[in-house]
Amino acid sequence: MNTLASIATPAAPSPSRARRKPARWLALALETHISLPLFALFLLGAMWFATLHVIEAERSTAATAARDATHELLDTYEAQMARSLSNIDQTLRVLKYAVEQNGAQGALPALAAKGLLPPGLVFQVEITDSHGRVVASNPDAGPRDLSGASYFEFHRHIRHDLPYVSQAIVHPRAAEPHLHFSRRIDDAAGRFAGVAIVAVDPAYFTSSYERSRQGERGLLGLVGVDGVVRAMRIGEQVSWGQSYTPGPTDLVGLRACRIDGETRYTTTRPLGGFPLLAVAGLSESEQMAQFRQQRRAWLLGAGAGSTLLVAVVILVSAWSWQLAKARRRERQAQETYAAASEASPDAFFVLRSIMNQRGRVTDFTIVTTNSRAEQLTGLRKEQLAGQRMSVMLPGAFSAGIFADLAAVALDGVTHETEWLARSLPQGERWLYRQAVAVEDGVVVIVRDVTERRLAEGRIRHLAHHDDLTGLPNRSLLRERLDGAIATAAGDGSAVGLAFIDLDGFKLVNDALGHNAGDALLKVVGARMARCLGAGDTLARFGGDEFVILLPALSGEPAAIAPLLEQVREAVTEPVLVEGQEVQVSCSIGVTFYPRDGIDANALMMHADVAMYRAKELGNDNVQFYASEMNASIDEKLGLLEGLRAALDSCQDDDAGACQFELLYQPKVDLRSGRLFGVEALIRWHHPEQGLVSPDRFIGLAEESGLIVPIGEWVLRTACAQNVAWRAAGLPPISMSVNVSARQFEDKRLVERIADALGASGLPPQDLEVEVTESLIMRDLGRSVDKMRELEAMGVSLSIDDFGTGYSSLSALKSFPITRLKIDKSFVADLASCADDQAIALAVISLGHKLDLRVIAEGVETEQQRDFLRANDCDEMQGYLFSRPLPAQALARLLADGHGVVA
């Protein structure tokens, strides 16, 4: 049979096909591998139904027999107990009569003479007087006092003609417990005269237990109507005194016994004339043991029969399945191909090889195609069928497709590839081709993958470019830098790398918001990109950092200085953001390959060092890397290590003297001249470098995160010092503490302030926290929430360096603050600069309108003081009054009464 022809010629659909479906399903059901398992399934169901029915019948019979046996056992036990209890009651009546006739002392001898006393080995007979004293007993037990016995109390207080049955009681002189049956004795006047008692061992009432009849775990017993066991035997064990809940009278039920947990068929019956119930039970496991053995035999038989039947059915069905599969294989192949090819989004071409005499493929005949192939080629199936590929699809030969298909037809190895087809009716499309060898030819599957290719291109672009600016990202920069270095190493050229950091971007981002910052980054990035050549790369490294890659350079490094200056000037041009004109600059650090490094890591690190040198020199400049710059990095690392050691020295008493010191700059009221508060300022006494300026280490502490523990030390020390001044009898003053951005963002800031106040005992209203304007504007909502928490605690807040940020008046009125501080940059030229005077007047007016106090910092001349006082500024601080002072010097200032300035 020609497999290619059979696959390639599917039967055409016909209207009668739908009508043939039921017939096909019926024919399929009648095949042996289908019908035989169905019949076997029916036989299995019938077999197991019969087996389970027989088992259920046997179980029901066994359960009925167990219930009958339990009922019969109770009948027998009840008759025995009725006789025994009747004899005991008869003895009690005789005792009572004998006492009435012969008196308590003569009753027992009179009965003994007549042979009416029960045997002493089993029954203990006693007579008490009205006070509970035993006056006669058989066998003789001596005098005893039974006035506290339950049965004596019962008869003394209740006139009752029925016998009383006690629980099992052990008397002091008795070795074993006994059940006490008693009746009331009255004198001739009808008054209570005593009690007649017959005591019986509980085992007496269960002595009829027969192991052959009741098994090893059967049950016999007497239970009081109060639910307490008087006597019970389970197997060989006799017990009494337990709580027992009897079931319905004369109904045999299957229940678990609370005494030993055994499940039994049990029933109960009241004993007439006595407050007792007879209980009998048979163990369910013993009664049903024979049934369970029979059930196991039935199940094993049914299981073995089922296994044999299933094995035979599997063997016969497998043989039948192989035959049916062989018959359907060809038909299924045809139907599957027809359905798959027409429904598939892929184009199918079935080709028959044309061979020459040397066994080489010279052409292919197109046997058949599908509808998708018609759309792809623009030719109908009828036009393609039976034609040579070289005639109908000549482009396949020129594109190398024919050679690929010929190799598959000869080697039999499936081949896949993708290519850009340029001569299709739809225009250029990316296509995927899979060629699979079949008998006498190949089957070719062609799929349009243009959309996937475009999506992959977009994904590659997203993976290597910054989402915000569209510039290459760090990954693509590194890839291009490695390539540029490799090229330069081969041709002897140089590579330039410029690291750019925007100066002042953080202030814009914090003040105007992240959206404004993003807009600024886009504009600045576009400006820098316009300054570069086609082969250069501008990448966004992260945040406000950019990198320029200049490959294939020749000549001196200074040759690129004009380009970098052009970039710097482009960055500094004003930008309109959120309706407000802002301006930033940039610091640029430059390195060269191979002069400054031979690998990407070294170049990036040295460019970063050069950029930081540009920042140290005042921003807005270009610095070329020099090896001496590493010294500043080493100095910075050494200073950071020393800062950690200084913090340890102040937190650990065993680490030596504390290197930090707090100085306190006085604040005075401009109207009264009174010193009302101080601002705590930290100083660092380095063991080797001496006094280190805060300008050198505060920024480093902020960058490294050490500012949080250092700030907490400042807060605790300042609060404790204020309390110490008060304890020394000095006038109370307020304490101001600065909070940095890193501290303010700390989630535990409010908790740390509360701890410092609690540890020192300083009242919250005497602590003022100073925050900067730009710090609050970073996240206005969260900042205001945190400030309100401090306000609720009683702590005052003030805005430091007011006028240097970008806060709006609408935001300012929502701040829970009490004071505005005029920045010293506006105070320095206050006596001569009209602009600074206008700003100071505006801040003073604004503060008073908002019911805030205004303080000016950096007041150093009398002219500055006089201007501020004349224009109603409330407070001042600065060298005019006092430099920052140590704690002892400030204490002397307060103690000497110098806290007032004219």
Side-chain angles (χ1 to χ4, degrees), residues 278-299:
V279 181
L282 296 175
S283 171
E284 187 271 344
S285 59
E286 291 179 342
Q287 295 299 309
M288 301 296 285
Q290 183 176 0
F291 157 71
R292 291 192 173 96
Q293 292 178 352
Q294 293 175 346
R295 181 181 62 183
R296 188 178 300 108
W298 278 103
L299 292 175

mmCIF file of all heavy atoms in Angstrom, residues 278-299:
data_model
loop_
_atom_site.group_PDB
_atom_site.id
_atom_site.type_symbol
_atom_site.label_atom_id
_atom_site.label_comp_id
_atom_site.label_asym_id
_atom_site.label_seq_id
_atom_site.Cartn_x
_atom_site.Cartn_y
_atom_site.Cartn_z
ATOM 1 N N ALA A 278 -32.377 -6.683 86.559
ATOM 2 C CA ALA A 278 -31.507 -7.775 86.122
ATOM 3 C C ALA A 278 -30.943 -7.410 84.758
ATOM 4 O O ALA A 278 -31.674 -6.987 83.869
ATOM 5 C CB ALA A 278 -32.282 -9.086 86.053
ATOM 6 N N VAL A 279 -29.637 -7.552 84.585
ATOM 7 C CA VAL A 279 -28.950 -7.197 83.333
ATOM 8 C C VAL A 279 -28.224 -8.426 82.817
ATOM 9 O O VAL A 279 -27.521 -9.107 83.578
ATOM 10 C CB VAL A 279 -27.951 -6.046 83.542
ATOM 11 C CG1 VAL A 279 -27.278 -5.679 82.229
ATOM 12 C CG2 VAL A 279 -28.638 -4.834 84.135
ATOM 13 N N ALA A 280 -28.383 -8.700 81.508
ATOM 14 C CA ALA A 280 -27.676 -9.819 80.876
ATOM 15 C C ALA A 280 -27.131 -9.347 79.546
ATOM 16 O O ALA A 280 -27.758 -8.544 78.857
ATOM 17 C CB ALA A 280 -28.606 -11.011 80.666
ATOM 18 N N GLY A 281 -25.955 -9.822 79.179
ATOM 19 C CA GLY A 281 -25.361 -9.405 77.907
ATOM 20 C C GLY A 281 -24.424 -10.464 77.366
ATOM 21 O O GLY A 281 -23.783 -11.199 78.116
ATOM 22 N N LEU A 282 -24.340 -10.507 76.011
ATOM 23 C CA LEU A 282 -23.436 -11.426 75.320
ATOM 24 C C LEU A 282 -22.523 -10.600 74.415
ATOM 25 O O LEU A 282 -22.980 -9.678 73.715
ATOM 26 C CB LEU A 282 -24.217 -12.444 74.480
ATOM 27 C CG LEU A 282 -25.108 -13.404 75.259
ATOM 28 C CD1 LEU A 282 -25.908 -14.281 74.314
ATOM 29 C CD2 LEU A 282 -24.262 -14.283 76.199
ATOM 30 N N SER A 283 -21.225 -10.912 74.390
ATOM 31 C CA SER A 283 -20.246 -10.172 73.598
ATOM 32 C C SER A 283 -20.565 -10.288 72.107
ATOM 33 O O SER A 283 -20.747 -11.404 71.588
ATOM 34 C CB SER A 283 -18.828 -10.686 73.867
ATOM 35 O OG SER A 283 -17.911 -10.127 72.964
ATOM 36 N N GLU A 284 -20.631 -9.139 71.439
ATOM 37 C CA GLU A 284 -20.931 -9.130 69.998
ATOM 38 C C GLU A 284 -19.836 -9.845 69.218
ATOM 39 O O GLU A 284 -20.114 -10.581 68.272
ATOM 40 C CB GLU A 284 -21.075 -7.681 69.531
ATOM 41 C CG GLU A 284 -21.552 -7.501 68.088
ATOM 42 C CD GLU A 284 -20.430 -7.472 67.096
ATOM 43 O OE1 GLU A 284 -19.268 -7.288 67.514
ATOM 44 O OE2 GLU A 284 -20.697 -7.662 65.893
ATOM 45 N N SER A 285 -18.577 -9.644 69.610
ATOM 46 C CA SER A 285 -17.474 -10.266 68.864
ATOM 47 C C SER A 285 -17.507 -11.782 69.010
ATOM 48 O O SER A 285 -17.202 -12.507 68.055
ATOM 49 C CB SER A 285 -16.134 -9.708 69.358
ATOM 50 O OG SER A 285 -15.955 -9.950 70.738
ATOM 51 N N GLU A 286 -17.886 -12.289 70.202
ATOM 52 C CA GLU A 286 -17.948 -13.742 70.374
ATOM 53 C C GLU A 286 -19.160 -14.334 69.665
ATOM 54 O O GLU A 286 -19.066 -15.403 69.032
ATOM 55 C CB GLU A 286 -18.009 -14.059 71.873
ATOM 56 C CG GLU A 286 -16.720 -13.738 72.605
ATOM 57 C CD GLU A 286 -16.803 -14.043 74.090
ATOM 58 O OE1 GLU A 286 -17.940 -14.175 74.610
ATOM 59 O OE2 GLU A 286 -15.755 -14.141 74.729
ATOM 60 N N GLN A 287 -20.296 -13.633 69.742
ATOM 61 C CA GLN A 287 -21.499 -14.151 69.124
ATOM 62 C C GLN A 287 -21.408 -14.155 67.592
ATOM 63 O O GLN A 287 -21.990 -15.014 66.930
ATOM 64 C CB GLN A 287 -22.712 -13.327 69.570
ATOM 65 C CG GLN A 287 -23.018 -13.425 71.052
ATOM 66 C CD GLN A 287 -23.342 -14.849 71.492
ATOM 67 O OE1 GLN A 287 -24.180 -15.520 70.889
ATOM 68 N NE2 GLN A 287 -22.651 -15.327 72.536
ATOM 69 N N MET A 288 -20.661 -13.156 67.026
ATOM 70 C CA MET A 288 -20.599 -13.044 65.574
ATOM 71 C C MET A 288 -19.317 -13.636 64.999
ATOM 72 O O MET A 288 -19.032 -13.465 63.794
ATOM 73 C CB MET A 288 -20.685 -11.557 65.174
ATOM 74 C CG MET A 288 -21.936 -10.837 65.641
ATOM 75 S SD MET A 288 -23.436 -11.503 64.917
ATOM 76 C CE MET A 288 -23.324 -10.841 63.263
ATOM 77 N N ALA A 289 -18.526 -14.321 65.827
ATOM 78 C CA ALA A 289 -17.239 -14.846 65.349
ATOM 79 C C ALA A 289 -17.439 -15.854 64.216
ATOM 80 O O ALA A 289 -16.737 -15.823 63.204
ATOM 81 C CB ALA A 289 -16.474 -15.477 66.511
ATOM 82 N N GLN A 290 -18.388 -16.757 64.373
ATOM 83 C CA GLN A 290 -18.599 -17.771 63.324
ATOM 84 C C GLN A 290 -19.094 -17.118 62.033
ATOM 85 O O GLN A 290 -18.665 -17.488 60.936
ATOM 86 C CB GLN A 290 -19.611 -18.807 63.813
ATOM 87 C CG GLN A 290 -19.832 -19.954 62.810
ATOM 88 C CD GLN A 290 -20.769 -21.005 63.354
ATOM 89 O OE1 GLN A 290 -21.251 -20.872 64.488
ATOM 90 N NE2 GLN A 290 -21.043 -22.038 62.577
ATOM 91 N N PHE A 291 -19.956 -16.094 62.183
ATOM 92 C CA PHE A 291 -20.423 -15.392 60.985
ATOM 93 C C PHE A 291 -19.263 -14.722 60.252
ATOM 94 O O PHE A 291 -19.177 -14.756 59.022
ATOM 95 C CB PHE A 291 -21.466 -14.346 61.369
ATOM 96 C CG PHE A 291 -21.602 -13.240 60.357
ATOM 97 C CD1 PHE A 291 -22.186 -13.476 59.117
ATOM 98 C CD2 PHE A 291 -21.084 -11.963 60.632
ATOM 99 C CE1 PHE A 291 -22.286 -12.446 58.190
ATOM 100 C CE2 PHE A 291 -21.187 -10.953 59.710
ATOM 101 C CZ PHE A 291 -21.788 -11.191 58.487
ATOM 102 N N ARG A 292 -18.352 -14.128 60.999
ATOM 103 C CA ARG A 292 -17.235 -13.430 60.352
ATOM 104 C C ARG A 292 -16.329 -14.415 59.624
ATOM 105 O O ARG A 292 -15.770 -14.104 58.565
ATOM 106 C CB ARG A 292 -16.458 -12.624 61.384
ATOM 107 C CG ARG A 292 -17.248 -11.426 61.932
ATOM 108 C CD ARG A 292 -16.385 -10.482 62.734
ATOM 109 N NE ARG A 292 -17.127 -9.283 63.107
ATOM 110 C CZ ARG A 292 -17.747 -9.089 64.256
ATOM 111 N NH1 ARG A 292 -17.738 -10.057 65.177
ATOM 112 N NH2 ARG A 292 -18.414 -7.972 64.500
ATOM 113 N N GLN A 293 -16.147 -15.586 60.172
ATOM 114 C CA GLN A 293 -15.364 -16.608 59.455
ATOM 115 C C GLN A 293 -16.056 -16.993 58.150
ATOM 116 O O GLN A 293 -15.419 -17.117 57.099
ATOM 117 C CB GLN A 293 -15.175 -17.835 60.344
ATOM 118 C CG GLN A 293 -14.270 -17.588 61.546
ATOM 119 C CD GLN A 293 -14.142 -18.815 62.424
ATOM 120 O OE1 GLN A 293 -14.837 -19.824 62.227
ATOM 121 N NE2 GLN A 293 -13.261 -18.732 63.426
ATOM 122 N N GLN A 294 -17.365 -17.156 58.209
ATOM 123 C CA GLN A 294 -18.100 -17.498 56.990
ATOM 124 C C GLN A 294 -18.046 -16.342 55.979
ATOM 125 O O GLN A 294 -17.900 -16.568 54.765
ATOM 126 C CB GLN A 294 -19.550 -17.824 57.345
ATOM 127 C CG GLN A 294 -19.714 -19.104 58.166
ATOM 128 C CD GLN A 294 -21.156 -19.319 58.597
ATOM 129 O OE1 GLN A 294 -21.975 -18.405 58.502
ATOM 130 N NE2 GLN A 294 -21.455 -20.519 59.089
ATOM 131 N N ARG A 295 -18.154 -15.099 56.491
ATOM 132 C CA ARG A 295 -18.097 -13.956 55.578
ATOM 133 C C ARG A 295 -16.739 -13.875 54.880
ATOM 134 O O ARG A 295 -16.659 -13.601 53.687
ATOM 135 C CB ARG A 295 -18.343 -12.669 56.363
ATOM 136 C CG ARG A 295 -18.330 -11.418 55.478
ATOM 137 C CD ARG A 295 -18.557 -10.160 56.271
ATOM 138 N NE ARG A 295 -17.489 -9.961 57.255
ATOM 139 C CZ ARG A 295 -17.459 -8.963 58.127
ATOM 140 N NH1 ARG A 295 -18.442 -8.069 58.160
ATOM 141 N NH2 ARG A 295 -16.458 -8.842 58.984
ATOM 142 N N ARG A 296 -15.678 -14.164 55.626
ATOM 143 C CA ARG A 296 -14.343 -14.133 55.024
ATOM 144 C C ARG A 296 -14.240 -15.181 53.924
ATOM 145 O O ARG A 296 -13.655 -14.927 52.857
ATOM 146 C CB ARG A 296 -13.286 -14.379 56.108
ATOM 147 C CG ARG A 296 -11.851 -14.167 55.634
ATOM 148 C CD ARG A 296 -10.841 -14.376 56.753
ATOM 149 N NE ARG A 296 -11.067 -13.466 57.851
ATOM 150 C CZ ARG A 296 -11.547 -13.809 59.034
ATOM 151 N NH1 ARG A 296 -11.859 -15.085 59.278
ATOM 152 N NH2 ARG A 296 -11.731 -12.916 59.983
ATOM 153 N N ALA A 297 -14.812 -16.340 54.167
ATOM 154 C CA ALA A 297 -14.766 -17.390 53.152
ATOM 155 C C ALA A 297 -15.549 -16.980 51.903
ATOM 156 O O ALA A 297 -15.103 -17.187 50.768
ATOM 157 C CB ALA A 297 -15.338 -18.695 53.728
ATOM 158 N N TRP A 298 -16.714 -16.369 52.098
ATOM 159 C CA TRP A 298 -17.496 -15.903 50.942
ATOM 160 C C TRP A 298 -16.741 -14.837 50.153
ATOM 161 O O TRP A 298 -16.716 -14.859 48.918
ATOM 162 C CB TRP A 298 -18.835 -15.335 51.424
ATOM 163 C CG TRP A 298 -19.885 -16.386 51.683
ATOM 164 C CD1 TRP A 298 -20.289 -16.865 52.884
ATOM 165 C CD2 TRP A 298 -20.655 -17.077 50.702
ATOM 166 N NE1 TRP A 298 -21.267 -17.821 52.751
ATOM 167 C CE2 TRP A 298 -21.515 -17.966 51.385
ATOM 168 C CE3 TRP A 298 -20.694 -17.039 49.312
ATOM 169 C CZ2 TRP A 298 -22.406 -18.810 50.733
ATOM 170 C CZ3 TRP A 298 -21.581 -17.874 48.662
ATOM 171 C CH2 TRP A 298 -22.425 -18.751 49.352
ATOM 172 N N LEU A 299 -16.120 -13.894 50.852
ATOM 173 C CA LEU A 299 -15.407 -12.819 50.172
ATOM 174 C C LEU A 299 -14.188 -13.332 49.416
ATOM 175 O O LEU A 299 -13.896 -12.887 48.299
ATOM 176 C CB LEU A 299 -14.977 -11.745 51.175
ATOM 177 C CG LEU A 299 -16.117 -10.939 51.802
ATOM 178 C CD1 LEU A 299 -15.582 -9.995 52.873
ATOM 179 C CD2 LEU A 299 -16.889 -10.153 50.750
#
